[in-house]
Amino acid sequence: MNTGIQPGVVVIGAGVVGLSAAIAAQARGLSVTVLEREAPAAGASAGNAGAFAFTDILPLASPGILKKAPKWLLDPLGPLSVPPSYAFQIAPWMFRFWRACSAGRVAHSTAAQTALMDLSKAELEPFLTQTGTIAMLRKEGNLQVYESQAELNAALPGWKAREQHGVEFRHMGAADMAIIQPGLAPRFTHGTFTPGWYSIADPKLYTLALAEHFSAQGGTIERAEVSGLHPIEGGVEIRTTDGRTLRAQNVVLAAGAFSHQVARSLGETIPLETERGYNTTLPIDAFDLRTQVTFGGHGFVVTRLSTGIRVGGAVELGGLKLPPNFRRSEAMLEKARSFLPGLKSQGGVQWMGFRPSLPDSLPAIGRARATPRVVYAFGHGHLGLTQSAGTARLVADLLTNDRTAIDIAAFSPQRF
């Protein structure tokens, strides 16, 4: 072994995916250090909706989205938007997204997504038990609501696809919806309830608890922004923006929306874009919320956390540099007020975060082309929390050269 190469693993990124992977590697007996440009749970892991959306197997890239997208894109505050100043830059990504919407590619992505969801669900509770966070798990389901029979009918092909992959759900009318979630506006006449939809008490507190567990088990978390990676004999050289050079046997790149910038130093161009997610977290007594409610036609959800009621969602494809447009948060909150007439909308805290997304809605999980000593684990879009335990299992398998729990060919970072 070369002198100066740190044994074990360096994980880049202290979000929920990076920390989960670090803990899984640690459990295999590996020495692990985590490098984070800000602090644990500083990014999308802090402000997401807190859902383990195991039933959400259909890719965002789909024929259904292609039908809705033109209408949505005309509304700058709608469920899907691209700021005009960013439209040219994102055009190549949008072309790949369009190609991923073909029936054959959607079927391929759905099968791969289902396999990762099944693995993630199987790994979740053992992982929560291992990390002492099992008490934070909630199993309250999700209610998707519709404003007409026609809107429900339009969604039926998607539910048929879920049924074929073993997802449990039941359609219902307004009376049954009111039993599950009282207080919905009368405009919502139909709904679909998925009991297999889990959530976490608070995603930020959960991610911070993972950081604490990792440290308690002997792991180290250091603040450092990585500028590049370079293969060397017996390991990987890690360069930071403050001029430091570190060396490790193996590296896991799980830096979320910034991952593709680091991968570029290895000669790989990975088409990762940023879904800028917005939300407002209201006080806990803002509404008597009993399940997560998804307003799919409007692109947002309302979630009960231990720390408040979170109203958020939508997709703004605007990269990493544009300033937040909190009018999007305000627009969702205004709709939520009319959809849940008893909602107290005062005293909320706004947030915007970066969700790393690839055109086919699948993450990049696998080895770098330049060296097998770098493992990629990023690009989960809005499913990072959901797929964190499954991704951690796969990363640990790769680091220890074990057979991966599922076939990861569909998640190859080199598939584009």
Side-chain angles (χ1 to χ4, degrees):
M1 182 185 303
N2 281 5
T3 302
I5 295 181
Q6 176 180 319
V9 182
V10 167
V11 176
I12 302 171
V16 69
V17 172
L19 286 170
S20 298
I23 291 168
Q26 198 178 51
R28 302 277 180 104
L30 299 174
S31 173
V32 186
T33 296
V34 173
L35 303 181
E36 166 56 44
R37 64 194 301 271
E38 295 185 63
S45 297
N48 63 67
F52 293 104
F54 299 123
T55 63
D56 198 2
I57 61 172
L58 301 180
L60 180 63
S62 66
I65 288 293
L66 284 183
K67 293 177 183 177
K68 297 176 182 177
K71 178 182 176 182
W72 284 351
L73 287 170
L74 290 174
D75 180 359
L77 301 179
L80 174 65
S81 72
V82 177
S85 60
Y86 198 69
F88 179 77
Q89 188 171 335
I90 200 175
W93 188 94
M94 294 295 288
F95 176 71
R96 288 188 173 100
F97 180 89
W98 172 77
R99 290 184 62 192
C101 290
S102 71
R105 294 192 181 196
V106 168
H108 173 77
S109 296
T110 301
Q113 200 76 288
T114 301
L116 183 54
M117 291 294 199
D118 289 346
L119 174 64
S120 298
K121 187 174 184 179
E123 293 287 324
L124 178 63
E125 292 190 55
F127 183 80
L128 297 181
T129 301
Q130 171 196 345
T131 56
T133 55
I134 190 68
M136 301 179 79
L137 182 65
R138 294 174 171 177
K139 299 182 179 181
E140 298 171 343
N142 175 276
L143 181 63
Q144 168 87 43
V145 297
Y146 305 100
E147 297 180 60
S148 66
Q149 180 69 54
E151 189 179 359
L152 171 60
N153 290 345
L156 291 179
W159 290 111
K160 182 66 175 178
R162 293 182 179 92
E163 183 178 36
Q164 291 170 349
H165 288 281
V167 174
E168 179 187 354
F169 61 88
R170 65 179 186 273
H171 301 306
M172 58 186 63
D176 288 333
M177 288 164 56
I179 295 172
I180 292 173
Q181 180 56 66
L184 289 166
R187 65 190 289 170
F188 297 105
T189 57
H190 297 75
T192 305
F193 184 67
T194 48
W197 189 288
Y198 300 170
S199 63
I200 203 74
D202 181 273
K204 181 175 182 178
L205 296 181
Y206 170 64
T207 306
L208 291 175
L210 294 185
E212 290 178 9
H213 172 84
F214 172 70
S215 298
Q217 297 301 309
T220 301
I221 301 175
E222 298 180 12
R223 185 168 183 177
E225 183 173 359
V226 174
S227 59
L229 302 174
H230 179 67
I232 57 176
E233 183 181 350
V236 182
E237 189 173 80
I238 305 161
R239 299 165 183 167
T240 66
T241 57
D242 61 2
R244 286 189 291 160
T245 299
L246 311 173
R247 292 181 173 184
Q249 282 182 311
N250 296 283
V251 170
V252 176
L253 179 53
F258 300 88
S259 299
H260 62 309
Q261 297 178 351
V262 180
R264 200 173 294 134
S265 68
L266 291 169
E268 292 201 76
T269 302
I270 297 176
L272 184 143
E273 262 300 339
T274 304
E275 291 183 37
R276 293 149 57 96
Y278 291 85
N279 66 49
T280 302
T281 303
L282 302 169
I284 192 65
D285 64 350
F287 191 76
D288 179 21
L289 197 65
R290 304 180 186 183
T291 184
Q292 186 180 67
V293 181
T294 298
F295 300 97
H298 300 270
F300 72 95
V301 301
V302 181
T303 307
R304 182 176 72 90
L305 305 175
S306 61
T307 51
I309 302 296
R310 182 161 290 168
V311 180
V315 174
E316 180 186 58
L317 296 166
L320 296 166
K321 296 179 180 179
L322 294 179
N325 177 10
F326 284 115
R327 288 182 301 161
R328 296 182 65 78
S329 297
E330 294 160 7
M332 284 186 283
L333 187 58
E334 184 177 347
K335 285 186 175 182
R337 231 182 354 247
S338 65
F339 296 168
L340 303 170
L343 181 70
K344 303 172 188 174
S345 59
Q346 299 78 28
V349 177
Q350 295 178 328
W351 177 89
M352 188 276 283
F354 303 125
R355 299 177 291 196
S357 297
L358 293 164
D360 59 1
S361 304
L362 300 179
I365 304 173
R367 301 186 191 278
R369 178 182 287 114
T371 171
R373 292 185 177 274
V374 174
V375 174
Y376 294 150
F378 59 82
H380 295 77
H382 59 280
L383 297 171
L385 174 65
T386 299
Q387 298 176 339
S388 56
T391 300
R393 166 66 187 276
L394 296 173
V395 168
D397 289 344
L398 290 167
L399 291 172
T400 53
N401 294 311
D402 291 334
R403 182 176 180 179
T404 55
I406 61 172
D407 183 358
I408 61 172
F411 308 106
S412 169
Q414 292 81 37
R415 67 186 183 269
F416 298 102

